[in-house]
Amino acid sequence: MPPIRLLAFGAILLGLLPACKDNSIEEPKFDTTGTYTISTTPAPGPMRMFTQTGEVKNDVLIRRYFERQYAGLPIKSGVIPPFLAAELVFTSPSEAVLNTTTSTSGSPQSSSVPLTFSGLTNERAVLTSKDPKPFTTSSGSSSKCDNIVRDIQGVSPAYTCTTPPPSTGFGTQCEFKPVYVLNLRGEKASLAIMFFHFSATVSGGSCGMGGSLFNVLNAALPGRIAAGDTLVVQEAELPLVKK
């Protein structure tokens, strides 16, 4: 009997001990105050190609695909810097302004975009523009390539869409607020940027579309690539430094 009493007493002691906290789960530490300068030198990831059969791992094939799409111009590894200068200024914990300087026709062009800050997790946060932008898709064969711009985004903005008269030549007319995704690693943050090119075989021909987005790849998209479709993506990051 005494051994049984000792076991019961030990169980009571264990029940009184405080629960251990899992230190492996890192809490968000991003500071939403002050001003951050944004690097003009992207840290690029690898170029990735997807077809219906899965991801293509052959770098030579990926580069040849780019050369065909861009009229034989040599494509070098790395992402073209989107800014000559940029900074992110927090005016409150939930609001910020993105000030940028870009080169337009060889001349510097400055802009300021008011943003709301939300969606903070251990890995990511989202800056959403307060200024809505129009978005239209053409009726006919090119709509498939138009729609990929929405589907490719890992963090997709909300769209408000209407169907204009057929005489306009547009399939849909939408309005949305662009998003800027921040990748977070503890106290370190970077602005995500994704370059992509998508081409598809559609009834009566083909279509293609490319560009860059301040976003991350939708992980579910490669599994939806259809026969005759090709998607090439290169993700990169623009590190942020607190002033």
Side-chain angles (χ1 to χ4, degrees), residues 177-197:
K177 295 179 179 179
V179 297
Y180 301 79
V181 177
L182 291 180
N183 289 328
L184 304 178
R185 298 177 184 87
E187 296 178 352
K188 296 182 178 180
S190 60
L191 182 62
I193 183 171
M194 175 177 60
F195 174 81
F196 71 96
H197 188 275

Side-chain angles (χ1 to χ4, degrees), residues 120-208:
L120 179 63
T121 69
N122 294 327
E123 298 179 350
R124 188 166 296 153
V126 182
L127 296 162
T128 303
S129 172
K130 293 183 179 182
D131 298 331
K133 292 192 177 296
F135 177 84
T136 57
T137 60
S138 302
S139 60
S141 63
S142 65
S143 61
K144 183 175 184 179
C145 281
D146 291 331
N147 291 336
I148 202 68
V149 176
R150 294 174 60 172
D151 294 341
I152 196 176
Q153 299 175 90
V155 180
S156 183
Y159 287 77
T160 302
C161 299
T162 59
T163 302
S167 59
T168 63
F170 294 108
T172 57
Q173 188 169 0
C174 305
E175 188 177 80
F176 74 104
K177 295 179 179 179
V179 297
Y180 301 79
V181 177
L182 291 180
N183 289 328
L184 304 178
R185 298 177 184 87
E187 296 178 352
K188 296 182 178 180
S190 60
L191 182 62
I193 183 171
M194 175 177 60
F195 174 81
F196 71 96
H197 188 275
F198 176 77
S199 61
T201 299
V202 293
S203 57
S206 62
C207 68

Side-chain angles (χ1 to χ4, degrees), residues 18 22 51 54 57 64 96 109 111 124 132 138 169 172 185 199 205 234 236:
D22 186 0
T51 65
K57 298 288 189 177
R64 286 178 179 172
Q109 182 73 37
S111 67
R124 188 166 296 153
S138 302
T172 57
R185 298 177 184 87
S199 61
Q234 185 178 28

